[in-house]
Amino acid sequence: MANQQQMANAIRALAMDAVQQANSGHPGAPMGMADMAVALWGDHLQHNPKNPHWANRDRFVLSNGHGSMLIYSVLHLTGYKLPIEELKNFRTLHSKTAGHPEVGVTPGVETTTGPLGQGVTNAVGMALAEKMLAAEFNQAGHTIVNHHTYVFLGDGCLMEGISHEACALAGAWKLNKLIALYDDNCISIDGQVAPWFIDNTPQRFAAYGWNVIDAVDGHDASAVSKAIAAAKHSADKPTLIVCKTAIGKGSPNRAGTSKAHGEPLGAEEIKLTREALGWTAEPFKIPKAVYADWDAKAAGVAREAKWNTTFAAYKAAFPAQAKEFVRRMKGDLPKNFNQVAFDAVVAAHTQGETVASRKASQLALEAFTAALPEMLGGSADLTGSNLTNTKSTPAFRVDLAGDVVKTESGKIGRHINYGVREFGMAAIMNGLALHGGYIPYGGTFLTFSDYSRNAIRMAALMKQRIIHVFTHDSIGLGEDGPTHQSIEHAASLRLIPGLDVWRPADTAETTVAWAVALQNAHRPSALLLSRQNLAYSPKSDLGDISRGAYVLSEPAHVGIKKTHGVIIATGSEVQLALAAQKLLAERKIGVRVVSMPSTNVFDRQDTEYKQSVLPAGVARVAVEMGSTDGWWKYGCAAVVGIDTYGESAPAPVLFKHFGFTAENVADTVHAALLKA
């Protein structure tokens, strides 16, 4: 590296210029972290700009994603397909340089960051994936999985509670290939952080079981590089490198102040900064010598070619494992998956068991986890309640040396005890999915989806296949009371664009929900499952369950030929609908019962199918133990729901108290028909 200072100044100049042109953004963080980027990307990062998806690349996460011009600058300078025009279009519509980095939009960006704390948590998931894949696939003399996960993070990430959840787990899992560089500039939007952020960060991370390299001059690229080199020698601990920096480094009047954080420096200050840095190039112009110093294309091609040779030898020695590795990193399901899913659904239908849908989920998981070694389960300290473990998924453990513990048959554990860390679990699962090689799923109570919500939203935004198992889905959990009884949660989750929410009514619907969720390579799913037992609903056809809603029972089944109305129900309330159908038949009223396990999936169906399920000119009544607002879009004349909090009492008492009885549903339908 001929001139590390000029390399860093190139980042500073591009950050200043892009933010100024957009009249929006955060120049201070990239200016302060520029030398850290030179050290990492110039001396250590294993990547290939020509192939951003190379399987054995190091992963880099900019957790403090507001400093996005740092990663955009480095990606451009090192040779990724991110031309200078895109930097000029920073924060403009349809550019590849959004205000915060977005995976799938910008080549080289590994995860979408912006909500502070989640980037470092994604990085923990990525590092965990690397560790587990290495334990699964590497063989003596053949190492095909061997890379690091690097993350830049700031004070804001460390103030967010999720960083505690994730970093404690990283220490427990001894993720020695996770290296975090902390931009310790002591500034946030409100100014000097000392009055409200007094943590002793090095001691905090040492207590987590991390290796800590403290008090590194973040503006000395050589010093940072040496610290990274030392971190890479850690055998059993993740590493935190504390880099002392000045936000807005180089700006004569704004460096070290909150004014550098979230607004353009201004034309006059940029001029003064250029003079202070000795940077004479025009805006968005980079000297050829600086481009040459940054250029990583040839080195990247050579790195990947070397790995390809290693993988070819591995493939020759272990062809089955090599084929499996390629399949899993692509995210493809096994060729026999459709048959596995078909057999599981037919078995559920044939057996027709009366079980809680959380148990139905476990029964489905027994089939799917046996067939899909990439399924990686877990629970936030509720395994016995969520039932996310199976015979094929022993507990994931690491030994004192940091190695992944294997079973007697040589398999690694595939069920993670996340502890009481719902938000951390959800964001770690995002990191696992982003890395590739695993399909993560994790469980907690539905009411605690509130804790996980922003990570669920990020999974949908990033189009990642993550499956959330939410049990205890209603007032049906009983005596635990309103703190644990989900009321608005199903409705609110259904509002997240790109998330499929399933609330199945029996074993067949639950198995179908799992099958569809696993097939959705670019969409997360949430399964809302009951604590109480649910009777199996006989079906003449299983094919339409996957369409989100289907006709479960026609009036003819109870001796009435004409259809006067439709009852739409989900989950445990399907049994109420069927019972009400019988009561209404006694009154010579014929109603169709529609089971709608997924409103999201049903809403994506074609108009013809939707009208065949919910015919026009027939009164509709929805039944669900939750908020009523979302059901009116189906043209309902009435909704039997609950728009208050629950109570603490046995479930049967609560059902009667809140009107979830067959008699009340029948009366509601009858009243709606009289008004029609």
Side-chain angles (χ1 to χ4, degrees), residues 253-301:
N253 298 302
R254 295 200 175 184
T257 73
S258 59
K259 290 288 287 182
H261 175 81
E263 62 185 62
L265 296 182
E268 183 60 29
E269 187 65 17
I270 289 177
K271 177 184 176 183
L272 294 174
T273 303
R274 275 182 149 77
E275 292 173 356
L277 295 174
W279 186 263
T280 59
E282 294 296 314
F284 297 106
K285 297 292 184 181
I286 304 297
K288 290 183 179 179
V290 176
Y291 268 129
D293 284 341
W294 270 112
D295 191 353
K297 295 190 292 294
V301 169

Side-chain angles (χ1 to χ4, degrees), residues 144-164:
I144 60 166
V145 181
N146 181 23
H147 54 267
H148 286 80
T149 301
Y150 296 98
V151 55
F152 281 10
L153 71 161
D155 291 310
C157 293
L158 295 179
M159 283 187 256
E160 291 285 0
I162 191 174
S163 69
H164 164 69

Side-chain angles (χ1 to χ4, degrees), residues 222-535:
S222 296
V224 175
S225 182
K226 289 178 183 177
I228 296 171
K232 288 162 73 173
H233 288 294
S234 177
D236 61 351
K237 294 179 180 180
T239 298
L240 178 74
I241 302 173
V242 181
C243 298
K244 301 291 185 179
T245 64
I247 192 171
K249 171 70 173 176
S251 172
N253 298 302
R254 295 200 175 184
T257 73
S258 59
K259 290 288 287 182
H261 175 81
E263 62 185 62
L265 296 182
E268 183 60 29
E269 187 65 17
I270 289 177
K271 177 184 176 183
L272 294 174
T273 303
R274 275 182 149 77
E275 292 173 356
L277 295 174
W279 186 263
T280 59
E282 294 296 314
F284 297 106
K285 297 292 184 181
I286 304 297
K288 290 183 179 179
V290 176
Y291 268 129
D293 284 341
W294 270 112
D295 191 353
K297 295 190 292 294
V301 169
R303 288 189 193 99
E304 184 173 357
K306 183 178 180 181
W307 182 83
N308 286 340
T309 300
T310 300
F311 188 76
Y314 178 87
K315 183 178 180 180
F318 306 98
Q321 291 92 327
K323 184 178 180 180
E324 180 73 356
F325 179 78
V326 170
R327 177 188 73 79
R328 285 175 52 176
M329 292 305 292
K330 284 183 177 179
D332 295 338
L333 295 176
K335 290 182 178 179
N336 68 337
F337 177 79
N338 288 342
Q339 187 63 49
V340 170
F342 177 83
D343 292 345
V345 175
V346 170
H349 175 65
T350 303
Q351 294 166 18
E353 295 181 82
T354 294
V355 294
S357 54
R358 61 172 174 165
K359 181 61 179 178
S361 170
Q362 187 178 46
L363 295 173
L365 279 171
E366 288 289 356
F368 291 129
T369 57
L372 275 66
E374 60 264 46
M375 289 187 70
L376 180 59
S379 173
D381 204 47
L382 290 169
T383 300
S385 293
N386 301 147
L387 304 182
T388 45
N389 58 328
T390 69
K391 294 175 183 176
S392 301
T393 58
F396 169 75
R397 294 290 184 266
V398 296
D399 61 23
L400 292 176
D403 296 323
V404 175
V405 175
K406 295 186 178 181
T407 65
E408 290 183 2
S409 60
K411 303 292 186 181
I412 69 169
R414 289 198 283 139
H415 190 272
I416 298 172
N417 299 101
Y418 286 98
V420 188
R421 301 180 178 98
E422 296 88 358
F423 193 8
M425 174 180 70
I428 286 171
M429 289 198 295
N430 288 353
L432 285 162
L434 286 159
H435 180 281
Y438 292 103
I439 300 174
Y441 66 94
T444 186
F445 290 171
L446 177 56
T447 192
F448 301 137
S449 64
D450 284 341
Y451 289 162
S452 308
R453 185 179 178 86
N454 201 265
I456 299 170
R457 181 179 187 273
M458 294 304 294
L461 178 62
M462 296 188 288
K463 299 180 173 64
Q464 295 300 304
R465 177 168 45 193
I466 290 114
I467 303 169
H468 294 272
V469 180
F470 293 126
T471 68
H472 297 60
D473 68 341
S474 71
I475 60 172
L477 67 88
E479 293 86 345
D480 278 344
T483 60
H484 284 53
Q485 291 168 5
S486 302
I487 302 299
E488 76 280 15
H489 300 76
S492 67
L493 288 170
R494 289 172 182 143
L495 291 175
I496 298 177
L499 174 70
D500 279 355
V501 179
W502 290 85
R503 190 164 181 257
D506 57 23
T507 52
E509 288 189 7
T510 305
T511 307
V512 169
W514 267 109
V516 174
L518 289 165
Q519 289 171 319
N520 281 339
H522 304 293
R523 185 184 293 271
S525 301
L527 276 59
L528 281 47
L529 308 170
S530 74
R531 178 195 188 192
Q532 70 271 29
N533 286 345
L534 307 180

